[in-house]
Amino acid sequence: MNTGDSLQKKNNLTGWAFVLLAVVGIVAFYFYPMIQALLLSFKSGVGANLEFSGLSNYKRLLVDTTFRTALSNTFIYLIIQVPVMIILGLFISVLLNDSTLRFRSFFRTAIFLPCVTSLVAYSVVFKYLFAPDGMVNQFLMGLHIIGDPIQWITDPFWAKITIIIAVTWRWTGYNMIFYLSSLQNIDQSIYEAARIDGANAFTQFFKITVPLLKPIILFTSITSTIGTLQIFDEIMNITKGGPGNATMSISQYIYNLSFKYSPDFGYAATVSYSIVILIIVLSIIQFKVAGDNKNG
Amino acid sequence: MWVLMLVTVLLLSACSSGGGGKPASGGDEKTNEITVWAWDKAFNVAAMETAKEAYQKANPDVKINIIEYAQADIIQKLNTGLNSGTASGLPNVVLIEDYRSQSFLNAYPDAFKDLSSSITASDFADYKLGPTAFDGKQYGVPFDSGVAGLYYRTDLLEQAGYKAADLQDITWDDYIQIGKDVKAKTGKELLSLDPNDLGLIRMMIQTAGKWYSAEDGKTPDIANNAALKEAFITYKAMMDANIVKLHSDWSQFVANANNGSVATIPTGNWFSPSVRQEASQSGKWAIAPIPKMAGQANSVHASNLGGSSWYVMNNVPGADQAADFVAKTFGSDKQLYQDLLNNIGAIGTYKPAVDGDAYAKADEYFGGQKIFTDFANWTKEIPSVNYGINTYAIEDILVVEMQAFLNGKSIDDVLADAQKQAEAQLN
């Protein structure tokens, strides 16, 4: 062996040593619990009295109407809120990217600011804003848009709207930041050329901005989808899933199964795995629909 | 660097093999430090502080730490702690709501200390023994009474033409009629309800000695439960009569009482401090017995809402000391119960204490009514029911069906569907 080989070997070892720490951490705190949870999902019983029950939890999942309600609620949030959030974020970021706009950094900060507030704190504030005699109702009644207060939190339909408004407020700025940063990377000469060719702002947006932002839009839509599938804090703090399960999400159902009812951790793990499967399936679909196959 | 990594790996592997499930240490170990978990600073925590003072007079070396958590946090911490198989981080004494106690005793059979020989169970109100005992053993020290009363605004009801005597011995149907008159004369709603919380239904069916599940505490008893059916119909009648103001959380509920939006509040006696918050309404409130169900022959004018009891953890060092502490305070100290009434207004369920002076005190806020005497008398009549292990799980099913019922689904379908769902979901 020559010295070059042993140096190579040494470098490899050092590399592995650096990675090892992270690998051990990930295995211990991610993969081990994941496998434990999978095993747990085949057990049933109350609290600590768990025993293997085969597929019974998965069978129960198929006929569980509460799970179905939670699933459909979560999908309603997903279908309405993710597109609203992405379109709004895209729109605002294009406006704020205009170099002639004054107070740009103020607007950027203002729109990003909700993302740094605590989930619980903002949920509580929203709950009071949307209370029957809260500020939103008073404002709308003051403008004579509505005659009676809207039951934002105690009516099944409006409660969902309240949650969607809250989540949109919290996360739009987060997506906007991604769009803004990638907008800065688009060469201004492309727009210049387009303007010379007579393209108006509308055409520029759809023919240049959106296609060039496609990878970022894909990224934000996947992260938003994952975030929405795991939605918990807002619902727990604003509506507690009510009225009558009208706003309950899958995560909140998992919480209820583990802590609100007689603890059934086996079934709760089963429901958790349903989210895992959903996220995998939805991410694959999004990659297939929006992803650029040539770039992998 | 290698050393650091080696240490980390060792630490991690030690962590992952630690959850073997055996209790970390026995409960017999001698210690003079006791940790207590409870929620509600003004009520339960204050009661525990009073008990601590009383106990420390005789046992000055024992240190008692009282930690306040929200009830939801206590439930979460207990569940995760007990499931991990180690007792470290858990308290010696913990407060558990009566509706949940059977679920805990069922789920973690060896986690709580058997107090059968420390306290005399028969000294406590009968209806508290169902939730606190399990398998013939007494695990909990019954604490506060959730005895329910009908808080009402005397001035508003007078405007509608009702006197105190008109509120004695009424049914829920009479109550709705009163509500219609109040609405017509004063424009105020009769009561405030949270559509997510069926506490009112719970109070109604307990007056008839019924619950969501059968005597065994497990079998859902919904479809053929006549009391539950009548309660549902009464609830809808209230909504249809347009006499209900909706609230979505506790602070709005209290606000509706304090700002004069509603004329009555049917709820547990622990609500008194919240009513008292509004000093300007002193003398305008009184408390009547809870209405009974017209269609249920055995329905009485006494019911319960909430209430909780103290439990000693078995595997936490100091269990014997902790058992001694609760037995000598909440388990037997008559004077303590007088202090609890005088200082906090907490009504205990310890029978021998009921004839003390504090119970006979007239309360100026409630127009000179001896409210503790009344509550204590009603406590004796509360029908005993087994809350079982599924109260909140069934209630979540019922809340959904209640919404369907209010929207026009037939009552028989509502109850039959709820029964089917409960049977499918609960084990």
Side-chain angles (χ1 to χ4, degrees):
Chain A
M1 267 189 212
N2 58 34
T3 45
D5 262 0
S6 77
L7 189 67
Q8 183 75 33
K9 213 172 171 185
K10 204 178 165 199
N11 279 345
N12 270 340
L13 270 178
T14 321
W16 276 111
F18 273 108
V19 178
L20 187 66
L21 205 63
V23 169
V24 170
I26 288 170
V27 168
F29 295 114
Y30 280 91
F31 294 124
Y32 176 71
M34 273 169 72
I35 292 162
Q36 279 294 318
L38 186 62
L39 292 177
L40 191 61
S41 75
F42 294 105
K43 295 179 182 176
S44 71
V46 181
N49 315 322
L50 289 168
E51 46 193 41
F52 272 97
S53 61
L55 286 172
S56 75
N57 281 332
Y58 289 89
K59 281 179 193 151
R60 180 177 161 188
L61 193 68
L62 295 177
V63 295
D64 185 347
T65 47
T66 313
F67 173 70
R68 227 171 283 161
T69 311
L71 193 66
S72 71
N73 287 340
T74 311
F75 268 97
I76 289 172
Y77 297 137
L78 196 71
I79 288 162
I80 297 176
Q81 196 224 305
V82 172
V84 165
M85 205 156 67
I86 283 171
I87 291 167
L88 208 60
L90 207 55
F91 183 65
I92 295 172
S93 64
V94 171
L95 288 185
L96 291 184
N97 198 40
D98 184 351
S99 52
T100 58
L101 184 75
R102 298 183 66 179
F103 307 119
R104 269 201 302 170
S105 45
F106 168 75
F107 287 122
R108 281 182 196 178
T109 316
I111 292 169
F112 184 66
L113 216 52
C115 302
V116 296
T117 55
S118 136
L119 282 166
V120 174
Y122 103 85
S123 301
V124 172
V125 171
F126 262 76
K127 183 172 177 169
Y128 285 102
L129 288 177
F130 286 87
D133 41 11
M135 264 175 68
V136 173
N137 271 335
Q138 284 177 3
F139 179 73
L140 292 176
M141 281 159 78
L143 290 178
H144 298 287
I145 294 173
I146 51 169
D148 292 318
I150 295 176
Q151 297 291 335
W152 288 103
I153 290 167
T154 45
D155 178 87
F157 172 76
W158 289 109
K160 281 199 188 77
I161 301 286
T162 310
I163 299 286
I164 289 171
I165 294 174
V167 178
T168 307
W169 178 85
R170 174 70 161 73
W171 291 106
T172 301
Y174 182 77
N175 288 332
M176 179 198 75
I177 291 294
F178 288 107
Y179 301 139
L180 265 180
S181 65
S182 57
L183 278 174
Q184 323 247 296
N185 288 334
I186 299 179
D187 197 338
Q188 284 301 315
S189 59
I190 302 176
Y191 289 104
E192 248 166 65
R195 273 197 293 275
I196 292 167
D197 285 345
N200 60 15
F202 200 72
T203 325
Q204 285 175 37
F205 178 76
F206 282 103
K207 300 282 180 185
I208 300 172
T209 312
V210 172
L212 286 174
L213 286 186
K214 210 169 152 191
I216 303 296
I217 295 174
L218 175 65
F219 169 75
T220 52
S221 62
I222 288 177
T223 50
S224 302
T225 303
I226 294 173
T228 310
L229 284 176
Q230 298 175 336
I231 186 169
F232 177 74
D233 300 63
E234 289 87 354
I235 290 163
M236 190 69 187
N237 288 296
I238 299 177
T239 61
K240 287 208 171 64
N245 289 356
T247 55
M248 179 190 273
S249 71
I250 304 175
S251 299
Q252 204 210 356
Y253 187 44
I254 294 169
Y255 177 89
N256 286 349
L257 287 169
S258 312
F259 300 117
K260 187 177 179 190
Y261 312 150
S262 285
D264 188 344
F265 294 105
Y267 187 57
T270 311
V271 178
S272 314
Y273 261 89
S274 74
I275 298 193
V276 174
I277 292 162
L278 276 175
I279 289 177
I280 294 173
V281 170
L282 284 175
S283 300
I284 291 174
I285 292 174
Q286 278 166 333
F287 266 109
K288 286 269 183 268
V289 172
D292 199 332
N293 288 330
K294 274 171 284 179
N295 299 339
Chain B
M1 196 193 72
W2 278 107
V3 177
L4 179 83
M5 280 199 358
L6 200 68
V7 170
T8 319
V9 171
L10 281 177
L11 270 178
L12 286 174
S13 54
C15 286
S16 55
S17 66
K22 64 173 188 325
S25 49
D28 312 327
E29 223 168 285
K30 193 80 182 147
T31 170
N32 52 3
E33 199 164 333
I34 297 172
T35 307
V36 181
W37 287 357
W39 66 89
D40 195 343
K41 198 174 175 59
F43 196 87
N44 300 314
V45 174
M48 211 6 134
E49 296 278 0
T50 315
K52 170 184 167 180
E53 271 171 39
Y55 188 71
Q56 281 180 335
K57 272 181 204 156
N59 304 275
D61 330 327
V62 180
K63 194 170 170 237
I64 300 169
N65 307 313
I66 303 169
I67 302 176
E68 188 203 349
Y69 286 118
Q71 192 191 165
D73 292 344
I74 294 182
I75 296 162
Q76 223 170 309
K77 281 173 200 292
L78 273 187
N79 270 316
T80 41
L82 292 171
N83 253 289
S84 72
T86 151
S88 70
L90 292 177
N92 294 101
V93 179
V94 62
L95 188 69
I96 298 177
E97 194 188 21
D98 290 343
Y99 295 138
R100 295 184 189 278
S101 54
Q102 287 296 309
S103 138
F104 272 106
L105 294 173
N106 243 293
Y108 311 105
D110 301 319
F112 300 97
K113 195 170 173 62
D114 176 10
L115 299 174
S116 308
S117 54
S118 309
I119 61 168
T120 316
S122 57
D123 277 347
F124 293 90
D126 299 339
Y127 84 96
K128 287 288 267 195
L129 300 179
T132 53
F134 180 70
D135 253 359
K137 291 175 187 159
Q138 183 68 28
Y139 284 95
V141 180
F143 173 45
D144 72 312
S145 162
V147 58
L150 179 62
Y151 290 79
Y152 65 96
R153 282 280 297 272
T154 48
D155 52 338
L156 291 178
L157 285 189
E158 239 162 65
Q159 284 178 45
Y162 291 95
K163 293 189 187 62
D166 300 327
L167 288 169
Q168 307 294 321
D169 194 27
I170 59 170
T171 65
W172 289 102
D173 301 332
D174 299 333
Y175 178 65
I176 293 173
Q177 185 53 49
I178 294 172
K180 289 178 184 164
D181 292 341
V182 167
K183 181 90 188 217
K185 296 274 168 50
T186 68
K188 307 262 187 191
E189 263 85 22
L190 182 67
L191 75 167
S192 179
L193 289 177
D194 178 350
N196 266 335
D197 180 355
L198 295 184
L200 188 70
I201 301 279
R202 266 181 263 144
M203 273 190 284
M204 286 181 186
I205 59 177
Q206 192 167 359
T207 66
K210 294 293 252 177
W211 202 246
Y212 301 146
S213 44
E215 276 298 298
D216 63 1
K218 288 186 177 166
T219 321
D221 178 18
I222 300 169
N224 299 316
N225 188 333
L228 187 61
K229 182 173 177 178
E230 189 181 334
F232 261 60
I233 292 170
T234 311
Y235 189 97
K236 184 168 195 282
M238 280 180 193
M239 291 292 182
D240 292 345
N242 210 10
I243 53 174
V244 179
K245 193 173 169 77
L246 295 180
H247 65 258
S248 59
D249 70 359
W250 175 257
S251 61
Q252 287 171 24
F253 178 42
V254 176
N256 285 343
N258 288 345
N259 64 22
S261 307
V262 293
T264 71
I265 298 184
T267 192
N269 68 83
W270 34 257
F271 196 67
S272 304
S274 305
V275 176
R276 281 202 183 90
Q277 274 176 27
E278 183 57 52
S280 69
Q281 290 178 357
S282 178
K284 292 183 181 168
W285 285 94
I287 306 165
I290 204 87
K292 70 175 182 185
M293 302 185 84
Q296 308 303 312
N298 56 349
S299 178
V300 294
H301 288 288
S303 191
N304 176 69
L305 185 65
S308 46
S309 304
W310 302 103
Y311 294 80
V312 174
M313 310 287 300
N314 223 353
N315 297 321
V316 180
D320 291 338
Q321 185 75 60
D324 184 66
F325 166 54
V326 289
K328 287 196 177 137
T329 52
F330 292 104
S332 58
D333 186 348
K334 276 201 219 178
Q335 184 53 41
L336 173 68
Y337 282 98
Q338 306 294 314
D339 295 343
L340 291 180
L341 272 189
N342 284 327
N343 303 340
I344 306 161
I347 302 176
T349 43
Y350 184 59
K351 286 182 198 161
V354 174
D355 42 22
D357 297 339
Y359 279 88
K361 213 171 60 175
D363 192 320
E364 286 316 309
Y365 194 95
F366 293 95
Q369 186 179 352
K370 291 178 182 169
I371 61 168
F372 295 137
T373 310
D374 286 344
F375 278 133
N377 286 336
W378 301 333
T379 299
K380 289 179 205 153
E381 291 164 33
I382 299 174
S384 183
V385 299
N386 185 355
Y387 297 139
I389 62 170
N390 292 321
T391 294
Y392 285 109
I394 295 181
E395 186 157 304
D396 266 13
I397 294 169
L398 290 179
V399 160
V400 179
E401 290 298 330
M402 177 61 91
Q403 291 292 326
F405 179 46
L406 294 177
N407 290 330
K409 189 170 165 183
S410 91
I411 181 69
D412 290 320
D413 288 352
V414 159
L415 296 179
D417 286 355
Q419 174 84 28
K420 228 187 290 164
Q421 215 184 323
E423 281 170 2
Q425 285 186 23
L426 307 171
N427 39 24

